[in-house]
């Protein structure tokens, strides 16, 4: 299985170089949109809405059905793969669209220029592509916090976790993870419609992200200019976050950059009472988004080298 970490390293390299080209998306879509279409169809057909045993059971069946369909398809493809370097390269090509490193960088980087120029409207428009909160209520500090929080959390969900499960279990592992993560993003939220149907998806997503989130936080700390502060902030504040996982990379990034993140925000017209992570430090600005991206890119380099080392040592 030592070929799997090497394939993940190559997939990360391809994604950083190419992303997922718009022309390719227009022609064939994207594997995540294919999974999403299946989830949406199941949601329409099987979700009775609201809480209750029936909703939970149907949601559980839907969740495992989508996971098994995704992983089973990948397992069938993997069984047809050639061995050796050819198999590694083919696995990397098939894995490539399931890694979102370049897309995340592009979307977060788009927030900094208008924010730096004082163009709050366009900064809000840019950050709306990567966060779920109401961007019209965000001031400059709120936009910067939202961008940096999204960068930290999505590094774990969109880069570390898929590569982790791919390195561990090959193409079926990364396919299963992307199915779980897409299920959580579509039906895992505790909205009135999905409170029962999405319960299983949300809990499974929490479980499969436990290790990757902590690895991401550790990687951010190691690659930051303030590793001790990042580690202290992560140990102290990670559990303040509403998510059992997102707090780890967010706290590490906040500590490493010397800023505060999280805090109250507005979802669906309701203001939350979330505490600040790394409270007492200043709010971030446009320059801190750029610094956060620098930390993110160093983390990607560490991830790439770590996958190569795992492959070379035959750890997996």
């Amino acid at each position: 299985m030592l070929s799997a970490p090497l394939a993940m390293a190559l997939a990360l390299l391809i994604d950083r170089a190419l992303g997922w080209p718009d022309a390719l998306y227009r022609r064939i879509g994207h594997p995540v949109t294919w999974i999403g279409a299946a989830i949406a169809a199941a949601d329409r057909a099987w979700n009775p809405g609201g809480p209750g045993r029936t909703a939970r059971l149907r949601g559980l069946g839907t969740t495992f059905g989508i996971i098994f369909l995704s992983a089973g398809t990948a397992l069938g493809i993997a069984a047809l793969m050639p061995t050796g370097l050819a198999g590694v390269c083919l696995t990397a090509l098939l894995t490539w669209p399931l890694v979102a490193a370049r897309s995340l960088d592009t979307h977060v980087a788009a927030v900094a220029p208008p924010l730096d120029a004082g163009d709050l409207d366009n900064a809000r428009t840019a950050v709306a592509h990567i966060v779920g909160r109401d961007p019209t209520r965000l001031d400059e500090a709120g936009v910067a916090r939202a961008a940096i929080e999204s960068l930290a959390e999505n590094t774990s969900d969109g880069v570390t976790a898929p590569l982790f499960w791919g390195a561990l279990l090959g193409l079926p592992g990364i396919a299963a993870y992307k199915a779980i993560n897409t299920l959580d993003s579509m039906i895992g939220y505790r909205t009135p419609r999905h409170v029962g149907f999405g319960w299983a998806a949300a809990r499974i997503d929490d479980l499969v992200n436990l290790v990757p989130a902590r690895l991401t936080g550790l990687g951010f700390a190691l690659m930051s200019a303030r590793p001790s502060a990042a580690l202290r902030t992560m140990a102290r504040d990670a559990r303040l976050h509403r998510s059992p996982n997102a707090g780890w990379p967010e706290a590490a990034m906040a500590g490493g950059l010397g800023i505060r993140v999280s805090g109250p925000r507005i979802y669906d017209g309701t203001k939350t009472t979330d505490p600040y992570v790394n409270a007492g430090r200043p709010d971030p600005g446009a320059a801190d988004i750029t610094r956060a991206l620098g930390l993110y890119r160093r983390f990607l380099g560490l991830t790439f080298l770590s996958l190569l080392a795992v492959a070379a040592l035959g750890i997996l």
Side-chain angles (χ1 to χ4, degrees):
M1 186 62 84
L2 62 85
S3 62
L6 180 57
M8 296 305 114
L10 291 176
L12 177 59
L13 200 62
I14 296 169
D15 177 73
R16 281 297 291 162
L18 301 176
W20 189 247
D22 290 340
L24 197 56
Y25 181 83
R26 288 193 297 268
R27 182 175 293 272
I28 65 170
H30 188 277
V32 171
T33 65
W34 307 340
I35 296 170
I39 295 168
D43 187 22
R44 290 191 299 269
W46 289 94
N47 184 6
R53 186 169 179 270
T54 298
R56 286 197 175 201
L57 287 175
R58 289 186 178 185
L60 181 66
T62 295
T63 296
F64 278 104
I66 295 292
I67 295 169
F68 290 147
L69 177 62
S70 301
T73 301
L75 187 62
I77 294 171
L80 300 174
M81 290 283 194
T83 58
L85 185 59
V88 170
C89 292
L90 281 173
T91 300
L93 284 172
L94 291 171
T95 298
W96 157 39
L98 302 179
V99 182
R102 185 183 178 102
S103 173
L104 178 58
D105 191 311
T106 300
H107 281 93
V108 175
V111 181
L115 190 64
D116 187 48
D119 185 354
L120 186 56
D121 286 341
N122 278 323
R124 286 168 171 167
T125 299
V127 85
H129 292 292
I130 53 174
V131 297
R133 70 198 70 171
D134 182 0
T136 64
R137 305 290 189 94
L138 297 176
D139 57 11
E140 292 186 3
V143 169
R145 282 198 306 271
I148 292 170
E149 290 162 23
S150 180
L151 177 62
E153 180 178 1
N154 284 303
T155 301
S156 178
D157 291 355
V159 180
T160 308
L163 293 174
F164 173 83
W165 289 108
L168 195 64
L169 299 173
L171 189 61
I174 193 171
Y177 174 77
K178 292 304 290 188
I180 292 167
N181 192 241
T182 308
L183 280 158
D184 180 62
S185 67
M186 292 183 65
I187 65 172
Y189 293 114
R190 295 184 66 85
T191 61
R193 175 172 173 77
H194 294 116
V195 65
F197 192 74
W199 178 86
R203 295 303 172 271
I204 295 171
D205 184 75
D206 287 344
L207 181 63
V208 298
N209 280 298
L210 280 172
V211 174
R214 286 148 182 81
L215 287 176
T216 305
L218 178 61
F220 280 155
L222 293 175
M223 291 293 100
S224 76
R226 302 155 41 94
S228 296
L231 289 170
R232 284 197 304 271
T233 304
M234 184 170 65
R236 183 190 68 227
D237 291 353
R239 293 177 179 83
L240 296 177
H241 202 283
R242 63 172 67 190
S243 163
N245 297 316
W248 295 86
E250 288 187 22
M253 183 167 277
L257 297 176
I259 58 170
R260 69 176 183 175
V261 296
S262 196
R265 73 279 307 272
I266 296 174
Y267 288 108
D268 298 323
T270 302
K271 187 174 183 178
T272 72
T273 58
D274 297 53
Y276 284 102
V277 169
N278 208 23
R281 303 300 296 180
D283 281 318
D288 296 302
I289 298 176
T290 302
R291 291 200 301 134
L293 284 165
L295 175 53
Y296 168 71
R297 292 161 188 163
R298 294 192 297 275
F299 172 82
L300 292 182
L302 175 65
T303 301
F304 177 74
L305 293 175
S306 298
L307 288 167
L308 289 183
V310 169
L313 295 173
I315 295 174
L316 295 180

